[in-house]
Amino acid sequence: MLLRLPGVYRPQHDTQLLAGVLAAEPLGPHSRVLDLCAGTGALSVAAAAAGAGRVTAVDVSRRAAISIRLNALARGHRIRVIHGDLTEHVREDRFDLVVSNPPYVPAPLDTVPDRGPARAWDAGQNGRALLDRICLQAPDLLVDGGILLLAQSGLSGVEKTLTMLEVQNMTVDVAATAVIPFGPALVERREMLARRGLTQVGQTLGGIVVIRAVR
């Protein structure tokens, strides 16, 4: 059980799906892993437990950063924790693997929250406020042969993610998919999503995708 301060995203189906893909990657003592939008640090802890030599976790939430430190300490892992906005503090670093489960829920407004629990899932009207930035920034952090693992909702433009990464000469495929019940945020927004044509009226299930891209 991971420790989690109030307001920090609770690991759910998407985290589990991404962790399963991460577990299949060969990580060793020389592996450098970056976890963007790390939340509780569930994926950072998983990477460290799998043998990664250096794990860096980044989150814009101070409470998340504290949660990551607590979970690393509780499990005896050394994880470098950075409180900051995506790649701003790691632009000079290079990694063998970047993993991210960012906010991707389509929201009523394009303005991304700067505080409160909704910051963990609201991602602009198209759900891509963070996804687009990760697709643009993460490839430059990878060594040759490095891997990006990225989770997102099927409502947030999977084809756009694939195209953005392919344009940057990444070899891309869909590593895992799952159909899961809508969480509270999507249940609350079912009418809005149906009006936008993103879902069917009365829809209660949605797809989660893990994209794997190799530099």
Side-chain angles (χ1 to χ4, degrees), residues 118-189:
R119 183 164 59 172
W121 56 78
D122 274 6
Q125 292 189 16
N126 60 7
R128 298 198 58 89
L130 279 296
L131 286 167
D132 285 347
R133 293 178 61 201
I134 292 169
C135 287
L136 290 172
Q137 297 172 20
D140 288 339
L141 301 179
L142 291 167
V143 300
D144 289 342
I147 296 166
L148 169 65
L149 299 178
L150 179 61
Q152 72 167 86
S153 168
L155 304 178
S156 304
V158 174
E159 288 300 323
K160 182 176 182 183
T161 299
L162 297 174
T163 299
M164 288 185 71
L165 294 172
E166 287 170 350
V167 164
Q168 297 191 73
N169 297 315
M170 303 280 282
T171 301
V172 186
D173 64 12
V174 174
T177 62
V179 176
I180 62 174
F182 282 172
L186 287 177
V187 168
E188 183 180 302
R189 297 171 186 177

Side-chain angles (χ1 to χ4, degrees), residues 59-95:
D59 202 285
V60 72
S61 164
R62 291 187 185 278
R63 292 187 178 190
I66 294 169
S67 297
I68 299 164
R69 291 189 179 98
L70 291 173
N71 286 314
L73 182 64
R75 286 159 177 76
H77 297 310
R78 295 185 62 185
I79 294 174
R80 175 190 178 202
V81 181
I82 296 175
H83 170 243
D85 182 31
L86 287 184
T87 65
E88 67 175 340
H89 295 304
V90 294
R91 288 173 183 161
E92 303 304 317
D93 296 341
R94 293 298 176 265
F95 300 90

